[in-house]
Amino acid sequence: MSSGEQERLIGRRTVLKAAGGAALAGAAGFAAAPAANADETGRSADVIVIGSGFAGVTAARDLRQAGLRPVLLEARDRVGGRTWTSSYEGETIEFGGQWVGDVHTNAMAELRRYGIATKSGGPLPLRAFFPTAAGGQQEVDFVTANDHLNSLLARLFDGSATYFPRPREPLYAADVLARYDPLSLQDRLNQLTLSPQDKLWLSGMTGVFSGGSSTVGGLTAFAQAWAGGGHTGQGWNELQEYLIQGGTGALLNAMLTDAQADLRLNSPVASVAEEPGRVVVTTRAGVRYYAPTVVVAVPVNVWRTISFQPGLPAVHTSATREGVGVPNAAKLLIRLRGEHRLPFALGPEGAPMSWIVPQSELPDGDQLVVGFTVDPTINLTSVADVQAKVRTILPGATVREFRAHSWARDRWAMGGWALRRPNQLLRQVPAIHQPHGRIVFASGDVPAAWHGYIEGAIEAGKLGAQQALSII
């Protein structure tokens, strides 16, 4: 397993079988060309795509369908970017993005195109724990609590229909938006009159989505997803309505097969240089690739690790310096002893574990849950540490074992899901979507709509392919 990946099984007993090794190769599902050596001569291509997440693979697929031969350069030893399908005890598990909904029209169209089905986004929790103003966690009825949480989100996003009347066209009401884009989620929380308990619940949500602190996430970034769900709690819930049969890797593999790209794994890029009539992409191993244009489909946070010649435009420079992917994010698949059946837990902002949602009940009664943490100090090699953090929001839980990946510590991600900072929307869009000479940017962090979702990555890849074709 590469040093950039932290997916592993940590537990009191070993039950992983061969899934860990299969996850690295199985995400691709077919053979890839090996990384080229520095002493090989430069390679020419019709187009180069950097990054094999959904944005990069979408771009490569669309470019291939236009008759071009794409070279696809991937830093990792697997494809998928910030999606990553694996398996555990015969179940499909995901270490990155995983949910889709009917409103995600691009993703749903791709699933129909390849005949891939969806399934329920997860079981209804039977037990639920939320923070209490008296301290600690309290057990509540999940449906009642979720309805109340949605009502709090509706208060947080009150007015979103005026500044996002058309969520897929975020600048449609730019004059109204200008009053809200400078606000952080914390700024908006401060405007609301909330009971101590309601503030704990609502800031627990805004804190985890911001990657740790509600001061980091922009109000309009979170509100755009709420608006995309129709400005309602039901629509918000339906953004997580489905999982993909076979995992996100099933869809990615189908698209990648169509792309027929020359896939080069273990090929992190050191520099992208524009020359008269072409672009030269050099890997860290010193191998050069030449093409009329390049599509850069890596996370915005990673742009700063690549030398661009000439330098990046000001808007791109500020975006990668500030970051778009949240600064702290790790996702865990945790096997719990069966005391709590299908448990859900939400922690207060700053809790060592932020959020737990049930995935399934195993045959022996143990519970498989998904955990999210934005705690930068979590020890992802220690059952004791993970159990201690889980118990802060799920009292009495016993962790048997877990698998985890820290996206914050992943050098090819340098952060988790995308959530724009205050002022970034109006400062970045639409300039950040424009090519820079022969260099096209197609990160799933910056689409006009659905940034941070699989839907947005597909959107970005489609636009990137169109822009590359216009250059060629």
Side-chain angles (χ1 to χ4, degrees):
M1 190 168 297
S2 68
S3 61
E5 306 292 5
Q6 296 178 354
E7 181 272 339
R8 67 189 74 187
L9 176 70
I10 307 295
R12 296 186 175 92
R13 57 191 179 89
T14 302
V15 295
L16 181 55
K17 304 175 184 176
L24 298 177
F30 53 86
N37 296 317
D39 58 357
E40 294 188 44
T41 58
R43 298 161 179 268
S44 62
D46 293 337
V47 61
I48 300 166
V49 179
I50 304 173
S52 69
F54 270 99
V57 169
T58 299
R61 191 273 313 273
D62 287 4
L63 290 164
R64 180 64 182 184
Q65 291 189 334
L68 302 181
R69 298 175 298 108
V71 167
L72 184 57
L73 301 179
E74 169 55 50
R76 297 180 172 90
D77 50 8
R78 63 169 182 84
V79 297
R82 283 172 289 177
T83 61
W84 185 2
T85 302
S86 187
S87 63
Y88 175 80
E89 293 286 288
E91 293 205 24
T92 298
I93 59 175
E94 302 277 5
F95 289 101
Q98 65 184 84
W99 287 290
V100 295
D102 285 324
V103 72
H104 297 144
T105 53
N106 285 310
M108 299 306 289
E110 295 292 351
L111 290 167
R112 289 192 297 271
R113 175 177 184 165
Y114 294 108
I116 299 173
T118 59
K119 60 183 180 180
S120 168
L124 183 71
L126 296 181
R127 300 187 70 182
F129 296 82
F130 280 64
T132 173
Q137 297 286 101
Q138 62 179 338
E139 185 164 7
V140 296
D141 175 74
F142 173 77
V143 173
T144 302
N146 190 61
D147 286 346
H148 184 61
L149 185 57
N150 283 340
S151 74
L152 294 175
L153 289 170
R155 291 182 62 188
L156 182 75
F157 301 128
D158 184 38
S160 62
T162 65
Y163 57 90
F164 283 135
R166 299 183 183 181
R168 286 187 177 270
E169 301 174 51
L171 303 187
Y172 182 80
D175 55 335
V176 181
L177 186 65
R179 301 201 299 268
Y180 294 89
D181 199 42
L183 299 179
S184 70
L185 285 163
Q186 185 62 57
D187 292 332
R188 177 58 180 150
L189 287 169
N190 292 343
Q191 294 176 351
L192 302 177
T193 301
L194 299 169
S195 71
Q197 181 166 292
D198 284 351
K199 186 174 183 179
L200 281 174
W201 288 24
L202 190 52
S203 63
M205 286 288 289
T206 59
V208 65
F209 274 87
S210 299
S213 171
S214 299
T215 62
V216 174
L219 169 65
T220 59
F222 201 173
Q224 192 175 5
W226 174 265
H231 307 277
T232 69
Q234 179 179 342
W236 167 254
N237 291 339
E238 289 174 356
L239 301 184
Q240 295 87 34
E241 187 171 8
Y242 305 123
L243 295 170
I244 299 171
Q245 287 281 8
T248 56
L251 177 56
L252 191 83
N253 293 345
M255 298 171 73
L256 194 51
T257 298
D258 258 5
Q260 300 178 49
D262 179 3
L263 174 62
R264 297 279 165 171
L265 300 176
N266 302 302
S267 298
V269 168
S271 66
V272 176
E274 184 172 351
E275 296 181 351
R278 70 178 187 178
V279 173
V280 181
V281 176
T282 305
T283 69
R284 293 189 182 185
V287 181
R288 294 185 176 184
Y289 295 86
Y290 307 94
T293 185
V294 60
V295 179
V296 180
V298 298
V300 169
N301 292 14
V302 176
W303 291 353
R304 61 181 178 265
T305 70
I306 300 173
S307 173
F308 289 92
Q309 303 159 23
L312 290 173
V315 66
H316 296 73
T317 299
S318 64
T320 191
R321 182 182 66 248
E322 296 166 5
V324 176
V326 298
N328 300 304
K331 186 175 181 182
L332 302 88
L333 279 298
I334 307 169
R335 183 172 186 154
L336 300 175
R337 206 166 64 189
E339 294 96 342
H340 301 304
R341 290 195 62 202
L342 300 179
F344 175 97
L346 174 69
E349 182 169 351
M353 187 65 61
S354 302
W355 199 15
I356 288 173
V357 296
Q359 171 149 325
S360 65
E361 191 165 27
L362 298 173
D364 64 358
D366 281 358
Q367 308 295 308
L368 188 61
V369 302
V370 179
F372 295 88
T373 177
V374 293
D375 180 357
T377 70
I378 190 168
N379 183 350
L380 294 178
T381 67
S382 168
V383 168
D385 190 53
V386 169
Q387 177 170 278
K389 288 174 168 50
V390 166
R391 286 182 172 180
T392 63
I393 65 170
L394 189 59
T398 299
V399 174
R400 291 195 185 275
E401 56 200 12
F402 67 91
R403 292 171 70 180
H405 186 71
S406 169
W407 295 101
R409 300 170 191 171
D410 182 332
R411 58 179 172 163
W412 310 127
M414 300 178 68
W417 50 86
L419 193 77
R420 294 187 183 102
R421 280 35 168 187
N423 273 318
Q424 282 189 335
L425 177 56
L426 287 178
R427 281 195 291 112
Q428 292 178 359
V429 176
I432 203 166
H433 300 149
Q434 304 307 310
H436 180 46
R438 293 181 174 273
I439 303 170
V440 172
F441 297 90
S443 171
D445 292 340
V446 296
W450 297 115
H451 78 292
Y453 286 78
I454 294 171
E455 172 75 4
I458 295 173
E459 173 192 338
K462 287 180 175 294
L463 177 60
Q466 294 168 6
Q467 292 174 333
L469 288 170
S470 70
I471 293 171
I472 294 173

